[in-house]
Amino acid sequence: MVEQLIFNSYYRSANVFSSFLAGKVINFSTTTNHDPELYSDKTKKQVVFFRNPYDCIPSLVVKRRVDSNIDLPTYSNSAGINNDIISAAKEYILYIKKAKENFDNIYVGHFETYIQDPISELKKIAKFFDLELLPINNTFEDIYDQIEKQMFNQPGPVKAENLMSPHDGHMPREKIEARLVIDEYIKNFDDKTLKECYDLYLNMQYTKI
């Protein structure tokens, strides 16, 4: 089996985009996963980015509703999303606790810092795992355009698993109404699980290179 660099973050945290981008920066095979139990495996090279839960949880709620053909919330009807949010928050807590337990095994990055300068972050990842960098002859904008074309024209399982609907793209895009509704809703949602989730995110330790 070919050894791979695994982007194994919580949902809606740029796993797929990061895998494509890393393939243009690091001379190593890349893949994605959503399995926090894997963090304990010291034989695998894993990267985990933690995104603000007030951003990734609303995105996940929309994705799951789209994929399950469940009605999306609107400004006039946001009923039924409490359980969706709490369920997603519980999953987020599991990811962050498993990452803390296995901190030395994995590269833990801050999502909001990463997206400001992804190439620099990927260079740190390469150094952490002692991986060779590829020569970069294009601007980030050119690389970004290449990735966008790859992601939306990829045949087989990547498209089937990761591009299931118009709302499941992995490039930045305008938010649909349902996402805006949940963004607003979650700000005022008073729930201890969500608060725990956010506190863990604020206090998370990140890998230093």
Side-chain angles (χ1 to χ4, degrees):
M1 181 179 292
V2 176
E3 189 178 12
Q4 294 180 303
L5 180 64
I6 306 170
F7 288 87
N8 189 5
S9 304
Y10 179 79
Y11 307 95
R12 320 309 290 163
S13 299
N15 265 357
V16 175
F17 172 76
S18 298
S19 178
F20 275 97
L21 180 59
K24 298 184 179 302
V25 178
I26 302 173
N27 188 22
F28 205 76
S29 177
T30 64
T31 189
T32 64
N33 205 338
H34 290 300
D35 182 8
E37 299 294 341
L38 196 63
Y39 296 162
S40 62
D41 189 340
K42 296 181 180 180
T43 68
K44 300 188 183 301
K45 295 176 171 61
Q46 300 180 72
V47 179
V48 186
F49 287 113
F50 283 105
R51 184 181 180 187
N52 187 331
Y54 282 93
D55 288 328
C56 58
I57 287 177
S59 180
L60 178 59
V61 169
V62 170
K63 176 195 182 309
R64 285 180 169 170
R65 285 193 165 223
V66 168
D67 293 347
S68 301
N69 293 314
I70 299 173
D71 289 342
L72 292 171
T74 64
Y75 283 110
S76 60
N77 180 18
S78 59
I81 63 172
N82 287 21
N83 288 340
D84 293 352
I85 292 172
I86 293 170
S87 176
K90 287 179 179 178
E91 289 179 86
Y92 189 102
I93 289 169
L94 176 62
Y95 271 80
I96 212 162
K97 286 185 174 180
K98 288 295 181 181
K100 285 185 173 184
E101 290 172 10
N102 299 283
F103 186 80
D104 292 338
N105 299 345
I106 59 181
Y107 182 96
V108 182
H110 184 260
F111 178 88
E112 282 73 20
T113 301
Y114 165 58
I115 60 174
Q116 295 300 315
D117 190 357
I119 301 297
S120 293
E121 191 76 17
L122 288 171
K123 288 179 178 179
K124 292 178 183 177
I125 291 168
K127 185 175 181 180
F128 181 79
F129 290 113
D130 195 24
L131 301 176
E132 180 185 13
L133 291 170
L134 292 167
I136 302 175
N137 300 315
N138 297 319
T139 65
F140 178 69
E141 287 73 19
D142 290 336
I143 294 172
Y144 188 95
D145 288 342
Q146 292 170 17
I147 293 171
E148 185 173 30
K149 290 175 183 177
Q150 279 184 279
M151 290 175 69
F152 287 98
N153 291 289
Q154 184 79 2
V158 170
K159 188 165 187 177
E161 293 173 10
N162 300 309
L163 303 176
M164 295 176 64
S165 74
H167 310 293
D168 194 25
H170 292 264
M171 306 298 281
R173 61 202 186 280
E174 284 190 38
K175 295 179 181 180
I176 62 171
E177 180 185 332
R179 173 61 193 279
L180 295 172
V181 169
I182 300 175
D183 279 353
E184 188 63 30
Y185 187 92
I186 199 171
K187 290 177 186 175
N188 302 303
F189 185 43
D190 186 15
D191 175 76
K192 64 180 182 180
T193 303
L194 185 60
K195 288 179 179 178
E196 179 186 359
C197 184
Y198 187 60
D199 287 343
L200 286 168
Y201 161 76
L202 289 178
N203 293 291
M204 186 61 194
Q205 179 183 357
Y206 297 100
T207 302
K208 294 182 180 179
I209 299 295

